[in-house]
Amino acid sequence: MKNKKQLIITTLSLAIIIVSAVLSIRYLQVKPVSTATNTKTTETETYTDKELAKKTLTQNTASQTEKSAIEVPRVEPPAKPLEPTPDSTKQTQVRQAVSNEHIYYPLQTANDPGYASNWAIQKVNAPAAWDISTGNGQTVVAVIDTGFALNHDDLKNNWYLNSGENGNTIAGDNCWTGDPQNKATNSCDDDSNGYIDDYRGWNFSIGDNNPQAGRTNAYGVGVSHGTQTAGLVGAAGNNNTGIATINWNTKIMPLQVLSDDGPGYTSNVVAAVYYAVDNGADVINMSIGGSDYDADLKTATDYAYSHNVVVVAAAGNCGTGTEQGCTGLPAGTMGYPALNDHVISVGATTVSDQRASFSSYGPDLDIVAPGSGTINTTTWTPSNGTSLYTSSLSGTSFSSPQVASLVSLIKSIRPSSSADDITALILATSTKLSVMNGLPYTNEYGHGIINSNAALTVAASLNSISSIPKLLQSGGSVTEHRYASTDNLSSGCNTTIGTYCSIWFRDNSNGRERYLPYTLANQQGLTGWSWNGSFIPSSSWTIKAVQGDNRSNSYFLGVK
């Protein structure tokens, strides 16, 4: 899916520029909003749960009182990662195996206030999707980030709990001592996963079982970032508290890899990815980024893909090249892990459906989601860790978790689907924005903005399909496995009447992927698309008709 780019430093002066870019820490001004004294309008009508959520979505945020912004000074990262504590033999093993430590940062940028409080959830068509599903409470999204407000009112009931480290020990258990003990606090690795007492996630930055925000620096630059992304992934919905996100009922696995001050390292991020996969995550969200190709992290994200765990990552915040942390980088430069193969990379849009100026872009961008303006989500400060919400946020960091939330909602109705199937459902059901001028893909918007209702509609229909689609023509009347960017081409699918089909393209040289929109087959079982050769960059492509995990034989198309 992604072009594996590795930065080559050719001159000393260029090296200095790039190193300074990597070591620059991005910062964010957050306007926290307390709901401790929130006064909501009393409803006299009665509604179903879904109707109530749709009707009160604005009420739950509109009455929040805005406080002054908090600006945190930039800090330099430590010279090397902190040594882990003896609480995790597995984390120590991963750290020793990592070949080179790269630095990662929370992907943030400046505030861009001024939009209606609930515009983001409407833009992604979530209210309509809630008529299909609001989640089943069984999906798990691992959020790999800074620390978390573990006691926040809108999050505390949605944390993932490790069943192997909860409850009391009994005779025959791995850690039985003769008397029942609480597995969460018995200083023993009850489930033998290499982590002691990891009953609710893990703090890879410190090396223990407490991923609480603010433990090392309550005023650090990244201290609230993890709480904000977690809220956009899975704040509890329809609970008369705070906000609703796309999936009301998913579990969040809190994995801290970045310090309160912002930076984190390859070994911590890699260990967290392996932990997420090995401990039951369905989805991984990484609103973090670095500018260098990282072979160890690539191996980890490939491991996730091979286990059908969907990885979603923020594209980056170098849209103009002048943002903090982007000095010396070309405008639009995307970062890692978003550039890794089999990772869904996410850019940011505004309330007017424009690419946010800071949002990174290019031929490796997959999808966009709201990420600039009045993005309401949970947050944390030293004085309020239970009832605080943002009124304004900007960054691809806050677009990525919305996509992860949608992935988990799809998994709630299609639990056995593969990572490839989920990727197709996200990309091939997106809304094509007007600025895309009718094209199925552009470098600035990827496949378009996520459409929650369309994704769930197609996902639900695929559950009853068992037939294998047949790929019809993919090319043009004068092409035979060859194309030019100026050619007008077409593709077709022959399948069961009234079922959805898409066309999947994969670049054989660098892993980029493209999808034509999921479309219903007509009464003859046929559907087709017309497209221009510029839709797929000049390369060699494998093409298949797809319906979920059912895929046709391959066709190959190469550049003239």
Side-chain angles (χ1 to χ4, degrees), residues 133-475:
S133 176
T134 57
N136 62 3
Q138 303 299 311
T139 56
V140 178
V141 182
V143 178
I144 295 178
D145 214 291
T146 65
F148 305 87
L150 296 176
N151 296 314
H152 198 287
D153 294 338
D154 236 356
L155 295 172
K156 62 185 180 183
N157 294 323
N158 278 12
W159 297 121
Y160 152 88
L161 297 177
N162 178 5
S163 60
E165 293 284 352
N166 277 275
N168 291 327
T169 58
I170 60 175
D173 280 352
N174 182 47
C175 296
W176 175 250
T177 62
D179 295 307
Q181 292 183 328
N182 187 341
K183 294 181 181 180
T185 59
N186 64 349
S187 300
C188 184
D189 186 6
D190 293 272
D191 57 0
S192 301
N193 70 345
Y195 295 86
I196 294 175
D197 295 343
D198 57 320
Y199 72 98
R200 180 183 54 185
W202 193 258
N203 186 330
F204 294 87
S205 180
I206 293 177
D208 65 18
N209 69 343
N210 184 7
Q212 170 63 43
R215 290 179 62 198
T216 58
N217 183 0
Y219 298 93
V221 67
V223 72
S224 60
H225 191 267
T227 303
Q228 292 160 2
T229 58
L232 291 167
V233 164
N238 202 37
N239 63 345
N240 289 318
T241 301
I243 63 168
T245 190
I246 295 173
N247 190 343
W248 296 358
N249 299 292
T250 193
K251 296 301 181 183
I252 306 164
M253 181 185 289
L255 303 178
Q256 181 175 355
V257 300
L258 308 182
S259 71
D260 291 332
D261 292 318
Y265 293 87
T266 294
S267 57
N268 293 338
V269 178
V270 167
V273 172
Y274 286 125
Y275 181 97
V277 176
D278 294 341
N279 289 276
D282 299 292
V283 192
I284 296 172
N285 182 77
M286 288 193 279
S287 293
I288 63 176
S291 58
D292 293 332
Y293 172 75
D294 188 337
D296 293 295
L297 183 54
K298 171 63 167 57
T299 300
T301 55
D302 284 348
Y303 179 77
Y305 170 75
S306 70
H307 288 76
N308 282 321
V309 176
V310 179
V311 181
V312 184
N317 297 326
C318 291
T320 67
T322 61
E323 295 85 357
Q324 279 200 301
C326 304
T327 304
L329 299 177
T333 297
M334 292 173 57
Y336 295 92
L339 283 169
N340 284 350
D341 198 7
H342 304 303
V343 173
I344 299 176
S345 60
V346 187
T349 53
T350 68
V351 69
S352 57
D353 290 333
Q354 300 291 315
R355 178 181 65 85
S357 61
F358 56 79
S359 183
S360 294
Y361 59 91
D364 296 295
L365 182 67
D366 289 316
I367 200 78
V368 294
S372 178
T374 49
I375 307 295
N376 301 127
T377 184
T378 52
T379 193
W380 183 94
T381 66
S383 61
N384 188 342
T386 61
S387 59
L388 209 58
Y389 296 83
T390 63
S391 64
S392 181
L393 288 173
S394 289
T396 56
S397 273
F398 311 113
S399 304
S400 178
Q402 295 175 67
V403 177
S405 186
L406 176 55
V407 170
S408 69
L409 190 59
I410 295 171
K411 291 284 284 188
S412 73
I413 65 170
R414 197 164 164 75
S416 299
S417 58
S418 68
D420 286 332
D421 174 30
I422 295 295
T423 298
L425 284 166
I426 294 292
L427 305 188
T429 63
S430 59
T431 299
K432 310 305 177 185
L433 300 172
S434 60
V435 290
M436 297 174 69
N437 296 318
L439 298 174
Y441 179 94
T442 70
N443 286 350
E444 290 196 63
Y445 298 92
H447 290 82
I449 191 170
I450 56 170
N451 186 325
S452 304
N453 184 53
L456 260 66
T457 298
V458 175
S461 72
L462 292 177
N463 286 334
S464 60
I465 294 176
S466 59
S467 59
I468 303 298
K470 180 180 179 181
L471 178 67
L472 303 179
Q473 175 177 306
S474 278

Side-chain angles (χ1 to χ4, degrees), residues 73-94:
R74 288 180 286 168
V75 297
E76 291 298 321
K80 62 180 181 179
L82 297 174
E83 290 299 322
T85 70
D87 288 346
S88 174
T89 57
K90 187 65 175 288
Q91 184 179 353
T92 301
Q93 291 169 1
V94 172

Side-chain angles (χ1 to χ4, degrees), residues 7-206:
L7 192 59
I8 301 175
I9 302 175
T10 58
T11 66
L12 179 60
S13 60
L14 182 57
I16 294 172
I17 292 173
I18 293 175
V19 170
S20 66
V22 172
L23 294 180
S24 296
I25 298 177
R26 304 156 177 86
Y27 71 98
L28 172 69
Q29 289 182 330
V30 180
K31 295 182 179 178
V33 185
S34 174
T35 58
T37 58
N38 187 18
T39 57
K40 303 183 182 71
T41 302
T42 302
E43 293 291 339
T44 57
E45 301 96 337
T46 59
Y47 304 95
T48 66
D49 286 351
K50 295 167 186 172
E51 290 170 339
L52 180 62
K54 295 175 187 178
K55 186 171 183 66
T56 62
L57 188 59
T58 303
Q59 296 170 354
N60 284 347
T61 55
S63 60
Q64 298 166 353
T65 304
E66 185 173 309
K67 295 184 179 180
S68 59
I70 297 174
E71 182 175 341
V72 186
R74 288 180 286 168
V75 297
E76 291 298 321
K80 62 180 181 179
L82 297 174
E83 290 299 322
T85 70
D87 288 346
S88 174
T89 57
K90 187 65 175 288
Q91 184 179 353
T92 301
Q93 291 169 1
V94 172
R95 175 159 292 166
Q96 292 171 344
V98 163
S99 58
N100 190 19
E101 293 283 7
H102 297 269
I103 300 174
Y104 291 87
Y105 299 96
L107 289 174
Q108 311 172 117
T109 188
N111 282 326
D112 185 17
Y115 303 120
S117 62
N118 67 338
W119 71 272
I121 210 76
Q122 304 292 339
K123 285 287 186 182
V124 301
N125 210 9
W130 295 337
D131 290 330
I132 300 173
S133 176
T134 57
N136 62 3
Q138 303 299 311
T139 56
V140 178
V141 182
V143 178
I144 295 178
D145 214 291
T146 65
F148 305 87
L150 296 176
N151 296 314
H152 198 287
D153 294 338
D154 236 356
L155 295 172
K156 62 185 180 183
N157 294 323
N158 278 12
W159 297 121
Y160 152 88
L161 297 177
N162 178 5
S163 60
E165 293 284 352
N166 277 275
N168 291 327
T169 58
I170 60 175
D173 280 352
N174 182 47
C175 296
W176 175 250
T177 62
D179 295 307
Q181 292 183 328
N182 187 341
K183 294 181 181 180
T185 59
N186 64 349
S187 300
C188 184
D189 186 6
D190 293 272
D191 57 0
S192 301
N193 70 345
Y195 295 86
I196 294 175
D197 295 343
D198 57 320
Y199 72 98
R200 180 183 54 185
W202 193 258
N203 186 330
F204 294 87
S205 180
I206 293 177

